[in-house]
Amino acid sequence: MPVRLGDPETVRLLRRGDRVDVIAADREGEARVLVSGARVWRDPGGASGSDAAGAEEAGGALVVLSVPRRTAVRLAGAGTRSELAVTLW
C-alpha cells in the first residue's frame, strides 16, 4: 500500500524490512494509531535495497508498506482526511 507521509524527511530514515506504526493526525491535532507493525516493502522509486533515497524523486514522502487488504483500505481512507506519520520500531 503506498502511503504519503506528512514529513518528507521521514522516508529517508526508512529501510526495507523496517516495522512501523502508522499514525493519523486530524485537523484538531488528535492522533491515533491506524496500523501497528506494518513492514516497509519499498519506496516508489524502486530502491528496495538498503535505503529509500529514491522516494525523494517520486514526491518526497511516499513509502510502500506491506499490509493486509482491509488495512490498506483503512489507510487509503485516512490518507484523504488526515496527515499520516510513522514511528519506527
Side-chain angles (χ1 to χ4, degrees):
M1 171 69 198
V3 176
R4 185 161 302 279
L5 302 179
D7 178 11
E9 297 298 316
T10 301
V11 174
R12 288 204 246 174
L13 300 174
L14 301 176
R15 303 205 185 302
R16 181 181 169 106
D18 284 349
R19 292 278 187 172
V20 296
D21 291 343
V22 180
I23 300 165
D26 62 24
R27 297 178 199 271
E28 289 78 38
E30 293 292 319
R32 68 188 186 287
V33 176
L34 295 175
V35 180
S36 184
R39 187 172 300 277
V40 175
W41 180 251
R42 69 178 179 88
D43 69 275
S48 60
S50 63
D51 66 38
E56 191 170 10
E57 298 168 9
L62 203 59
V63 64
V64 178
L65 302 176
S66 176
V67 295
R69 187 176 303 230
R70 285 186 180 184
T71 302
V73 170
R74 194 167 60 238
L75 281 173
T80 64
R81 299 183 310 273
S82 304
E83 186 168 309
L84 303 180
V86 295
T87 56
L88 289 161
W89 280 26

